[in-house]
Amino acid sequence: MALVAMWDRAFRAWHFSVSYNQLLLRSLSDDTSPARVDVLFSNVYFLHMPTTFARLEIHKGEGFDPPHVEIPVGTRGEWFTINTGEGCVYATHCQWHEDEGNAMTPSHFGPLKRTD
């Protein structure tokens, strides 16, 4: 599996939009880093993960045993694993943005919207 991104800091599930199928994970600034990090998964078809992480490591591609879930033929996306199997997401995109915002500052990704 290919490494997508990795941060050695706490993250939590910040927002999930069923209507737009988007998942936003967020790490707020702390003593070790002044930056806030938002990680957005787009066009989410399946997700299974805890709501908090002590660190975040995302891989994608082949080489892991996905959960027993049927992804309909023709559904766009690929598997992303979180922390070597602590969680997984089937989505089309994973992107992130770092800034100096706080918990109340809107995400760089704005109001969550479809990114087909």
Side-chain angles (χ1 to χ4, degrees), residues 92-103:
T92 58
H93 303 87
C94 175
Q95 53 191 328
W96 56 91
H97 178 77
E98 292 187 40
D99 60 31
E100 293 183 8
N102 60 38

Side-chain angles (χ1 to χ4, degrees), residues 43-65:
N43 304 309
V44 175
Y45 182 82
F46 178 86
L47 67 94
H48 177 75
M49 66 178 59
T51 57
T52 60
F53 305 94
R55 59 184 291 283
L56 190 63
E57 183 175 327
I58 304 169
H59 287 86
K60 72 175 180 175
E62 304 292 322
F64 99 107
D65 189 19

Side-chain angles (χ1 to χ4, degrees), residues 30-80:
D30 60 18
D31 294 337
T32 61
S33 175
R36 173 185 73 169
V37 179
D38 281 351
V39 177
L40 180 69
F41 290 93
S42 301
N43 304 309
V44 175
Y45 182 82
F46 178 86
L47 67 94
H48 177 75
M49 66 178 59
T51 57
T52 60
F53 305 94
R55 59 184 291 283
L56 190 63
E57 183 175 327
I58 304 169
H59 287 86
K60 72 175 180 175
E62 304 292 322
F64 99 107
D65 189 19
H68 296 301
V69 60
E70 289 189 31
I71 305 295
V73 174
T75 302
R76 293 182 329 136
E78 60 187 316
W79 285 106
F80 294 89

